[in-house]
Amino acid sequence: MTESSAFRTDRYELTMVDAAIQSGTADRECQFEAFARRLPSGRRYGIVAGTGRLLELIRSFRFEDAELTWLRDNKVVREPTLDWLANYAFRGNIWGYQEGEAYFPGSPLVTVDGSFAECVILETLILSVLNYDSSVASAAARMVSVSLGRPLAEMGSRRTGEYSAVAAARAAYIAGFASTSNLEAGRSWGVPTMGTAAHSFTLLHDSEEDAFRAQVAAFGPATTLLVDTFDVEKGIRLAVDVAGPELGSIRIDSGDLPTVAASARARLDSLGAVNTRITVTSDLDEYSIAALSASPVDAFGVGTSVVTGSGSPAAGMVYKLVAHRDDAGEWVSVAKTSPAKISVGGRKRSVRQLDAAGIARAEVVLIGEDPADAAPPAEPEGRDRVLLVPLVTAGVFDDRYLGTAGTLLARAHHASVMQELPMEAFRLGRGDPVLPTLYR
Amino acid sequence: MTESSAFRTDRYELTMVDAAIQSGTADRECQFEAFARRLPSGRRYGIVAGTGRLLELIRSFRFEDAELTWLRDNKVVREPTLDWLANYAFRGNIWGYQEGEAYFPGSPLVTVDGSFAECVILETLILSVLNYDSSVASAAARMVSVSLGRPLAEMGSRRTGEYSAVAAARAAYIAGFASTSNLEAGRSWGVPTMGTAAHSFTLLHDSEEDAFRAQVAAFGPATTLLVDTFDVEKGIRLAVDVAGPELGSIRIDSGDLPTVAASARARLDSLGAVNTRITVTSDLDEYSIAALSASPVDAFGVGTSVVTGSGSPAAGMVYKLVAHRDDAGEWVSVAKTSPAKISVGGRKRSVRQLDAAGIARAEVVLIGEDPADAAPPAEPEGRDRVLLVPLVTAGVFDDRYLGTAGTLLARAHHASVMQELPMEAFRLGRGDPVLPTLYR
């Protein structure tokens, strides 16, 4: 694979461009919108993630010689279209929910303005990134909300594709996780990385004691020792024997965690290791984390469930043409009308309605308005927070949302957004979206 | 991200190498094994995929200056370990189930022989690739088995990470899908690509008729017209009006498909378009495909469910140290013994026991044997098929399993393996693995 993102797409995006160039409609100014018809089953809110990654991928969405040759050889599109692709760079406007923002059914998460051809060709890439990253962030936020302030580490790289692993680490961090095991996420996005040893390190040595001594010799007594290779009780005693009562942390990766954590705490305390922390890492999800709220657990490591969206591995977002200009230059709203998958046409912007206490009460989608329009007058007793921010303006990317700085900004934005949601948002059980979506 | 795959890993793989180098155990010869403790809930078999991709990633698993500098700056490992990493290339042996093979709980899917350090460092990468790709292939195989020979197209790029999309297209193709929408999968792995137009193409035009005319002008009447933007019945009539009765295909993306397909077929026939094929693409999975077995559907497009493993987005494989040589050069079997996650230690090889009719009857795992040992004597009335093949020998990669040729080989191998499974394997309902795993 080359570094160009241009082939991370569906063939039909290119054949549509090809047919539109031939029919003379390729240059019609259009507005596309990414949104979710519904939240994953029973969730109260979703979290947008992937925006910063997406912007970098759109910027590298260029057709180089390698791509053009392949398209020509495989007769995917005709010569005039190859010329158009060779000159492709996105020159339109993109508005979007800030990364880390909460969303609800119908929230206009990303709006893309430009010619039909330059907008449609980004469909697959936009959805791949938003659907995966938002699915992880949406699950991660629920885990954070039940962790009672104890740190969560994302450790699921081995349970998702090797590139998705990097995206997952980043999305979980935006949603409030403290760290990741994934090195590339540390390098590319500034996510703090962590990790010490697996069971194989213990099994490599002639005894558990040899393994613990080797690890403490390498990293000092503040390290985390994995104590459940053979027998947790004996493992803890040995760990404190080897590292002393200043042992930083033990990790437990199996067993009935409420029981095991309680007895581990008692054992550590009885050995004088009163400051040694307990990390648990065994197939955790938001439900098992919540079940540990009264347990003496100091940190959680979460793998499979967070990188697979805890039962909802794709956020269900779609990317639809909602308006185009007619020959007179007027915007015309368009939408599918077949009954099974109806959608709301028209250009849109949206605000979150807050009450006097600053608590969110509704997602208001204003139809037929330009994202750049002024904010509407707020309700008398509250205020409206504008949700769409300009990400790309006439082809110029807003640098604030990119790279490590953009990731930190998203994390900070997410934290402030969560403060604003009504308390019912944090119920784990199945239910309706916590805010109604009002179309105006 | 650089092209090196070395940072697609967990930090603790490197810290283990670091501690093992310091303790003098890094060079102990070890055997690691990737296996699944169980199949995804209720499945009868799993399908191994990702091997060809994995081998290429292991070959590019090198620490370049960019990686070494980051590790030094972030104090992840000490200087002697940086030197070791700088010289890293896998020089050991890898045996594995051939890509496309069926697997069962405990099947030793990949065995990796070499020094502890050179083997442990590949853990995350091996599991990321095998877990994701096998989850897709395992779901895809079930869809193929209920499609009654009608072609399936993988169209889920937008429902998984943008790189995982490529892996998913490849895995589905190995498991018997006919094609993909993903262009990179076409270029990198030779998977046939397909696709024509989305609803946005119809909505771009001033009328459905304009859109159909544009598409037929560009691609000829053999194209596929999407007929459900407004009203399926009117859409079909218009499609045949525009393209003539030689219209290649219509696509339907919504509605109650058995009903819609039947009425679409009747309508097409009444219009003389008796050879026009019907493709359906609306949130299909193995169950909805099976429900269409008596319907006049000619081809299926499958998205979300195949790229997310149809409810099992990670195959649950783990990578464990199963044996190492002691100081006298003898192999010592090792395994965790904590009760919650017990595993079977020891070097292994395995055979599939077939009866006289060539039908698989058991997965036999032979403990304490080298993968290179001769095959055991077969049962009197049947034969034993050896499952592990050499993929890497003393650091030399077997080219047959790489690239487009390797993908085709895996697809052919998969097709032959499916012939061998007992009929009960193809029941969709939940049940036990169709073969018992026998340890000897």
Side-chain angles (χ1 to χ4, degrees):
Chain A
M1 292 200 240
T2 68
E3 282 301 297
S4 162
S5 62
F7 265 32
R8 243 78 77 203
T9 195
D10 286 328
R11 179 174 172 134
Y12 83 172
E13 315 293 4
L14 273 64
T15 52
M16 282 193 277
V17 169
D18 195 52
I21 287 175
Q22 185 158 332
S23 80
T25 47
D27 291 332
R28 275 196 172 179
E29 187 179 347
C30 285
Q31 182 155 340
F32 280 80
E33 180 187 310
F35 64 95
R37 287 200 174 85
R38 63 194 73 82
L39 299 178
S41 155
R43 296 272 180 88
R44 312 306 174 103
Y45 62 89
I47 299 297
V48 183
T51 319
R53 288 199 327 110
L54 176 61
L55 292 173
E56 301 197 356
L57 288 162
I58 292 176
R59 201 150 63 165
S60 75
F61 196 89
R62 301 294 177 91
F63 293 81
E64 311 287 353
D65 287 347
E67 284 78 32
L68 296 168
T69 302
W70 193 89
L71 293 172
R72 182 179 291 112
D73 290 350
N74 288 275
K75 300 185 172 47
V76 175
V77 295
R78 296 158 312 117
E79 282 297 326
T81 306
L82 290 172
D83 293 342
W84 185 89
L85 293 174
N87 291 311
Y88 182 79
F90 183 74
R91 297 184 180 88
N93 306 306
I94 302 180
W95 294 70
Y97 276 40
Q98 207 176 319
E99 192 166 8
E101 184 62 79
Y103 74 88
F104 300 92
S107 296
L109 301 174
V110 173
T111 70
V112 183
D113 260 321
S115 75
F116 173 76
E118 74 178 328
C119 295
V120 78
I121 205 169
L122 298 177
E123 175 181 31
T124 307
L125 189 64
I126 288 174
L127 292 177
S128 291
V129 173
L130 291 183
N131 270 321
Y132 181 69
D133 295 28
S134 301
S135 117
V136 173
S138 298
R142 281 159 58 89
M143 297 172 191
V144 171
S145 77
V146 295
S147 68
L148 308 179
R150 293 171 287 182
L152 294 150
E154 183 281 311
M155 300 169 62
S157 291
R158 62 193 58 193
R159 303 281 185 240
T160 186
E162 74 281 7
Y163 286 87
S164 288
V166 185
R170 179 181 178 278
Y173 182 60
I174 287 171
F177 271 49
S179 59
T180 180
S181 61
N182 187 280
L183 277 182
E184 188 64 64
R187 173 166 64 169
S188 292
W189 304 104
V191 183
T193 61
M194 49 68 65
T196 49
H199 295 107
S200 61
F201 187 78
T202 301
L203 294 171
L204 165 70
H205 289 82
D206 294 329
S207 69
E208 194 173 33
E209 181 173 350
D210 282 3
F212 286 178
R213 289 203 186 283
Q215 193 179 322
V216 170
F219 305 127
T223 192
T224 299
L225 292 172
L226 177 59
V227 295
D228 70 340
T229 304
F230 304 110
D231 177 283
V232 175
E233 291 289 312
K234 287 183 192 159
I236 291 173
R237 183 186 302 275
L238 187 61
V240 178
D241 270 357
V242 168
E246 62 272 38
L247 172 63
S249 180
I250 61 167
R251 177 160 80 91
I252 302 171
D253 186 45
S254 55
D256 176 55
L257 292 177
T259 317
V260 177
S263 88
R265 183 73 269 159
R267 176 63 53 120
L268 285 169
D269 290 348
S270 77
L271 297 168
V274 293
N275 296 316
T276 300
R277 293 179 312 129
I278 298 175
T279 297
V280 298
T281 59
S282 181
D283 279 338
L284 296 174
D285 62 15
E286 59 270 49
Y287 304 101
S288 52
I289 293 168
L292 287 163
S293 33
S295 292
V297 169
D298 300 287
F300 302 93
V302 187
T304 311
S305 67
V306 67
V307 303
T308 59
S310 198
S312 298
M317 291 169 191
V318 295
Y319 181 80
K320 297 293 174 192
L321 178 65
V322 293
H324 63 76
R325 285 198 201 269
D326 65 15
D327 294 337
E330 294 300 309
W331 282 102
V332 181
S333 296
V334 298
K336 287 178 66 174
T337 57
S338 75
K341 284 185 183 171
I342 209 153
S343 49
V344 180
R347 305 169 79 216
K348 303 184 188 71
R349 61 190 206 86
S350 64
V351 295
R352 189 151 302 153
Q353 211 172 75
L354 308 175
D355 66 14
I359 300 302
R361 292 301 172 205
E363 188 84 341
V364 183
V365 179
L366 303 143
I367 300 174
E369 296 195 20
D370 190 297
D373 287 347
E379 301 289 313
E381 289 299 301
R383 67 187 177 88
D384 287 342
R385 184 162 65 80
V386 170
L387 293 168
L388 287 164
V389 299
L391 301 171
V392 182
T393 305
V396 178
F397 289 70
D398 190 327
D399 285 343
R400 280 176 301 175
Y401 303 113
L402 305 180
T404 297
T407 305
L408 280 174
L409 181 65
R411 181 172 157 90
H413 182 68
H414 173 75
S416 75
V417 164
M418 296 303 276
Q419 300 284 333
E420 208 180 74
L421 291 183
M423 221 161 40
E424 312 89 75
F426 305 107
R427 288 178 53 193
L428 280 188
R430 298 162 70 94
D432 293 326
V434 73
L435 299 189
T437 303
L438 311 176
Y439 292 96
R440 288 204 183 137
Chain B
M1 292 200 243
T2 68
E3 281 302 295
S4 161
S5 61
F7 266 31
R8 244 78 79 200
T9 195
D10 287 327
R11 179 173 172 135
Y12 84 173
E13 315 294 4
L14 273 64
T15 52
M16 281 192 277
V17 169
D18 194 51
I21 287 175
Q22 185 158 335
S23 80
T25 47
D27 291 332
R28 275 196 172 179
E29 187 179 347
C30 285
Q31 182 156 337
F32 280 81
E33 180 187 309
F35 64 95
R37 287 200 173 85
R38 61 194 74 82
L39 298 178
S41 152
R43 296 272 180 87
R44 311 307 175 99
Y45 61 89
I47 298 298
V48 183
T51 319
R53 288 198 326 109
L54 175 61
L55 292 174
E56 300 198 357
L57 287 163
I58 292 175
R59 202 152 60 167
S60 75
F61 196 89
R62 301 295 177 93
F63 292 82
E64 312 288 352
D65 287 348
E67 283 78 32
L68 296 168
T69 301
W70 193 89
L71 293 172
R72 182 180 290 113
D73 291 350
N74 289 274
K75 300 186 171 46
V76 175
V77 294
R78 295 159 312 117
E79 282 299 326
T81 306
L82 290 171
D83 293 342
W84 185 90
L85 293 173
N87 291 311
Y88 182 80
F90 182 74
R91 297 183 180 89
N93 305 306
I94 303 180
W95 294 70
Y97 275 39
Q98 207 178 318
E99 191 165 9
E101 184 63 79
Y103 74 87
F104 300 92
S107 296
L109 301 174
V110 174
T111 70
V112 182
D113 261 321
S115 74
F116 173 77
E118 75 178 328
C119 295
V120 78
I121 205 169
L122 298 177
E123 175 180 30
T124 307
L125 189 64
I126 288 174
L127 292 177
S128 291
V129 173
L130 291 182
N131 270 322
Y132 181 70
D133 294 28
S134 301
S135 118
V136 173
S138 298
R142 281 159 59 90
M143 297 172 190
V144 171
S145 77
V146 296
S147 68
L148 307 179
R150 294 172 286 182
L152 294 150
E154 184 281 310
M155 302 169 60
S157 290
R158 63 192 58 194
R159 303 280 185 242
T160 186
E162 75 280 8
Y163 286 87
S164 287
V166 185
R170 179 181 178 278
Y173 182 60
I174 287 171
F177 272 50
S179 59
T180 180
S181 61
N182 187 279
L183 278 182
E184 188 64 62
R187 173 166 64 170
S188 292
W189 303 104
V191 183
T193 61
M194 50 70 65
T196 49
H199 294 108
S200 61
F201 187 78
T202 301
L203 294 172
L204 165 70
H205 290 82
D206 293 331
S207 68
E208 194 173 33
E209 182 173 350
D210 281 3
F212 286 178
R213 288 203 186 283
Q215 193 179 324
V216 171
F219 306 126
T223 192
T224 299
L225 292 173
L226 177 58
V227 294
D228 70 340
T229 304
F230 305 111
D231 177 284
V232 175
E233 291 289 312
K234 288 182 191 159
I236 292 173
R237 183 185 302 275
L238 187 62
V240 178
D241 270 359
V242 168
E246 62 271 38
L247 172 63
S249 180
I250 61 166
R251 177 161 79 94
I252 302 170
D253 186 46
S254 55
D256 176 54
L257 293 176
T259 317
V260 177
S263 89
R265 182 73 269 158
R267 175 64 53 123
L268 285 169
D269 290 347
S270 77
L271 296 167
V274 294
N275 295 316
T276 300
R277 294 180 310 130
I278 298 175
T279 297
V280 299
T281 58
S282 181
D283 278 337
L284 296 174
D285 62 16
E286 59 270 49
Y287 303 101
S288 53
I289 293 168
L292 288 164
S293 35
S295 292
V297 170
D298 301 287
F300 303 93
V302 187
T304 310
S305 67
V306 68
V307 302
T308 60
S310 199
S312 299
M317 292 169 192
V318 294
Y319 181 80
K320 297 294 174 193
L321 178 65
V322 292
H324 64 76
R325 284 199 202 266
D326 64 16
D327 294 338
E330 294 299 308
W331 282 103
V332 180
S333 296
V334 298
K336 286 177 66 174
T337 58
S338 75
K341 284 185 182 171
I342 209 154
S343 51
V344 179
R347 305 168 78 216
K348 303 184 188 69
R349 62 190 207 83
S350 65
V351 295
R352 188 152 301 151
Q353 211 171 74
L354 308 175
D355 67 15
I359 300 302
R361 291 302 171 206
E363 187 85 342
V364 183
V365 179
L366 302 145
I367 300 173
E369 295 195 22
D370 191 295
D373 288 346
E379 300 290 313
E381 289 299 300
R383 66 186 176 90
D384 287 342
R385 185 163 64 79
V386 170
L387 293 167
L388 287 164
V389 298
L391 301 171
V392 182
T393 305
V396 178
F397 289 69
D398 190 327
D399 285 344
R400 281 176 301 175
Y401 302 113
L402 305 180
T404 296
T407 305
L408 280 174
L409 182 64
R411 180 172 157 89
H413 183 69
H414 173 76
S416 76
V417 164
M418 296 302 276
Q419 300 285 333
E420 208 181 73
L421 292 183
M423 223 163 38
E424 312 90 73
F426 305 108
R427 291 178 51 195
L428 281 188
R430 297 161 70 94
D432 293 325
V434 73
L435 299 189
T437 303
L438 311 176
Y439 291 96
R440 287 204 184 138

